[in-house]
Amino acid sequence: DAVVMQWQHKRDLGLHTEMIGDGILSLIESGAVTNRRKTFMPGKMTASFIGPVKELYDFVRDNEEVQFFAGNVMNNPAIISAEEQMVGINGALEIDLAGQVASLTLGNKMVSGYGGQSDFAMGCRMSRFGRMIIVMASSTKDKDGNLISRIVPNLSPGALVGTLAVHLDYVVTEYGIAGPLDGLTIAESAEELIKVAPL
């Protein structure tokens, strides 16, 4: 939602997403989203579900411009990759210096359910001029209130990799942008990621 607030000046955006959040409403009201250039369901906004916000329920009710499909359709890399300039934006719990993204677990502890992040990452990388972006806070606090980095040399033991390093283009934190990461060596990726890690 914070990202889409910056896109109100754009035009002819298309929406193909797992979840519609309430920030999308501001994009629609501004005229930025037309969906007319989409390959899959042109002219339609497509998703699997919406956030639990009354305004969203009111918006989608009887709205023929919004179509819902099961996750095996919305998260299908072949369908995602058919869109030109497909941009995937997701979050992460941890990223290691090689660019591996843990979005489901912190170590052995499950934090989030399986979603479409890995599918979107693959589909975006296969899309013509597509890209995958991870947006996250660079740090968090431990149980004692100490600041700890979420950009780490190695993922916590037992962490599940949600997005492979080879499918990641950019990482954005409050310190800036790391990337483009495509084609970098592990050492070069580490240098980029350190730039957006906590000081």
Side-chain angles (χ1 to χ4, degrees):
D1 288 348
V3 172
V4 300
M5 296 298 286
Q6 309 302 313
W7 290 350
Q8 294 182 9
H9 67 286
K10 301 283 188 184
R11 289 297 174 263
D12 284 335
L13 296 178
L15 186 71
H16 178 103
T17 184
E18 191 172 26
M19 184 188 99
I20 299 175
D22 55 338
I24 294 298
L25 294 178
S26 65
L27 272 187
I28 294 162
E29 290 165 2
S30 72
V33 175
T34 65
N35 298 299
R36 71 182 185 91
R37 295 187 180 184
K38 289 179 64 181
T39 300
F40 177 72
M41 301 293 293
K44 308 289 185 184
M45 187 180 314
T46 50
S48 288
F49 59 96
I50 61 175
V53 178
K54 181 184 184 303
E55 290 79 10
L56 283 174
Y57 291 121
D58 292 341
F59 173 73
V60 301
R61 185 179 296 114
D62 300 322
N63 188 340
E64 293 183 4
E65 293 184 3
V66 182
Q67 299 288 314
F68 289 94
F69 296 89
N72 65 339
V73 174
M74 293 308 300
N75 297 346
N76 184 329
I79 292 174
I80 294 166
S81 66
E83 302 294 344
E84 187 167 310
Q85 298 185 50
M86 185 64 156
V87 177
I89 302 172
N90 263 292
L93 300 170
E94 272 187 336
I95 296 180
D96 72 14
L97 292 180
Q100 297 182 109
V101 179
S103 54
L104 305 173
T105 62
L106 274 175
N108 292 318
K109 181 182 177 186
M110 194 78 164
V111 176
S112 174
Y114 284 94
Q117 185 179 109
S118 59
D119 300 313
F120 266 83
M122 186 183 309
C124 289
R125 287 307 309 276
M126 293 175 0
S127 163
R128 186 170 183 257
F129 304 121
R131 51 216 170 273
M132 181 63 179
I133 303 168
I134 294 293
V135 179
M136 61 186 285
S138 68
S139 62
T140 188
K141 292 184 177 179
D142 65 16
K143 61 183 179 182
D144 298 320
N146 300 311
L147 199 66
I148 55 172
S149 180
R150 295 170 71 191
I151 298 173
V152 294
N154 300 291
L155 297 179
S156 300
L160 296 176
V161 175
T163 294
L164 300 174
V166 296
H167 293 157
L168 184 60
D169 292 294
Y170 297 93
V171 174
V172 180
T173 76
E174 68 273 25
Y175 293 109
I177 301 170
L181 302 173
D182 182 34
L184 298 185
T185 65
I186 291 176
E188 290 168 337
S189 291
E191 288 181 13
E192 280 292 308
L193 289 164
I194 287 169
K195 292 177 188 175
V196 297
L199 299 175

